[in-house]
Amino acid sequence: MKITAIHCFPILVGWRNQLLIKVETDEGIYGWGESGLSGRERAVIGAIDHYREFLIGRDPMQAGALWQELYRSQYFEGGRVLSAAISAIDIALYDIKGKALGVPVYQLLGGRQRDRIPAFATAPAEPGPEMIEQAKQLQDAGWSCIRFVPMGQNATDYFEPRESIAKTAPWMVRAREVLGPEVALGIDYHHRLSVAEAAAFCQRMPSGTLDFIEEPIRDETPSAYASLRQLTDVPFAIGEEFSSKWQFLPYIERNLHQFNRLDICNVGGFTEAMKVAGWSEAHYVDLMPHNPLGPICTAASVHLAASIP
């Protein structure tokens, strides 16, 4: 079997950009993939156009070898744009392999380890009575993990961290009081805070209010997370922007966080995601897959989650 064509489909769904790709073969089998890096699709398309030149005529069943070639075949290795392109290609190759062999992709990853994939729901309203009501409705509907957004999340002009902290923390305390101890609660700050601001936010709430805080600060400097780790006991969920196992390395090996927000469409597809999953298992870091995109990302995330412990 040989790869004969790779087509890119940049689309806008609601307010989010998505990039789907279709890899075709000479046996009529095709695979779908999706890239992350939402908002930079044209850059990713440029990388895929480059990779297409030496993928045509190659065997799609050799996904692991092709991953290494895509990542290492230029002087400047990796990076978020290239990894997003590799992710889409790798996911499509696994789709082709599963179809060619007549098995679900999770069988290619070691087989299914669970029949149900736990997930969380987000209460979209900013902190206030409406947020509490949304969370109660989610809890009544059976959701056992609920994520919140901070005050100012939907601001269209600017975000003021200290204002957000002051207005968000009391409503997190209120959410815990209303929802009780059994539901897991988290909040996603989308790396809008500094170390001092994130510490101040966490310290304004009693211990046990939150089960995780997602992306409180930017991730370029692991030592900043090490400093924040010393200032709060709230578990950290990070990694949705990480584009390789090497970017996860210092966080996993230094025990800086508790949840890996691995995004299969950013990290390098199934080939790289499974390596990060094994590494996480060895260090007792839980996987919290990140899936903000479209149906291909959703399907790939389900197969990944089904096949890891």
Side-chain angles (χ1 to χ4, degrees):
M1 188 189 309
K2 304 297 182 184
I3 296 172
T4 57
I6 302 176
H7 304 287
C8 295
F9 302 92
I11 55 177
L12 178 64
V13 179
W15 56 272
R16 185 183 290 276
N17 295 332
Q18 297 175 12
L19 175 60
L20 306 182
I21 75 162
K22 183 180 182 183
V23 178
E24 300 176 349
T25 71
D26 59 354
E27 294 187 11
I29 300 174
Y30 58 86
W32 285 98
E34 186 169 6
S35 82
L37 205 65
S38 184
R40 297 293 182 268
E41 287 74 21
R42 293 190 182 279
V44 178
I45 290 172
I48 292 173
D49 288 344
H50 168 77
Y51 286 140
R52 180 191 292 115
E53 296 304 310
F54 58 87
L55 284 174
I56 300 299
R58 306 295 295 277
D59 182 359
M61 303 294 280
Q62 297 179 336
L66 291 177
W67 191 100
Q68 295 291 339
E69 186 171 339
L70 294 175
Y71 190 89
R72 300 178 185 277
S73 62
Q74 60 279 321
Y75 180 78
F76 296 100
E77 297 176 347
R80 286 190 168 106
V81 173
L82 296 181
S83 288
I86 293 171
S87 299
I89 293 168
D90 187 80
I91 292 168
L93 296 184
Y94 270 86
D95 191 21
I96 290 171
K97 289 173 67 175
K99 291 172 180 175
L101 297 174
V103 298
V105 167
Y106 63 71
Q107 291 287 22
L108 305 176
L109 306 175
R112 189 178 66 201
Q113 297 199 31
R114 56 174 53 83
D115 296 315
R116 297 177 64 85
I117 309 299
F120 65 71
T122 300
E126 293 193 346
E130 184 182 0
M131 179 201 80
I132 298 296
E133 183 59 33
Q134 289 176 350
K136 288 172 59 180
Q137 292 174 358
L138 290 171
Q139 186 182 36
D140 291 343
W143 292 93
S144 59
C145 183
I146 300 171
R147 185 181 66 171
F148 299 106
V149 300
M151 186 67 69
Q153 167 86 0
N154 300 319
T156 57
D157 47 5
Y158 68 94
F159 175 82
E160 177 47 58
R162 290 294 176 177
E163 288 182 9
S164 177
I165 291 169
K167 294 177 180 178
T168 301
W171 284 103
M172 296 299 100
V173 177
R174 179 60 179 156
R176 175 59 72 193
E177 293 171 348
V178 171
L179 300 173
E182 293 185 0
V183 61
L185 302 180
I187 189 169
D188 186 357
Y189 253 102
H190 281 105
H191 56 63
R192 286 180 166 89
L193 304 179
S194 68
V195 172
E197 291 161 352
F201 172 70
C202 293
Q203 291 166 3
R204 289 183 183 225
M205 298 172 290
S207 180
T209 300
L210 293 177
D211 293 284
F212 66 91
I213 182 170
E214 185 176 348
E215 309 284 349
I217 64 176
R218 294 206 63 87
D219 59 61
E220 289 92 342
T221 307
S223 59
Y225 263 102
S227 297
L228 182 58
R229 177 75 289 154
Q230 296 175 342
L231 297 170
T232 179
D233 62 357
V234 179
F236 300 147
I238 64 175
E240 66 189 59
E241 297 178 309
F242 289 2
S243 59
S244 72
K245 55 182 169 287
W246 294 284
Q247 204 166 355
F248 277 100
L249 184 152
Y251 290 91
I252 294 176
E253 295 202 333
R254 294 174 62 183
N255 297 312
L256 298 181
H257 67 318
Q258 288 66 51
F259 298 98
N260 273 330
R261 292 289 276 140
L262 182 150
D263 190 319
I264 195 169
C265 294
N266 281 326
V267 77
F270 286 107
T271 297
E272 192 78 336
M274 291 301 291
K275 296 175 182 178
V276 175
W279 212 350
S280 302
E281 180 187 2
H283 289 265
Y284 293 97
V285 178
D286 290 336
L287 261 284
M288 188 186 287
H290 183 251
N291 170 32
L293 299 172
I296 306 303
C297 181
T298 300
S301 298
V302 168
H303 282 266
L304 172 68
S307 61
I308 57 177

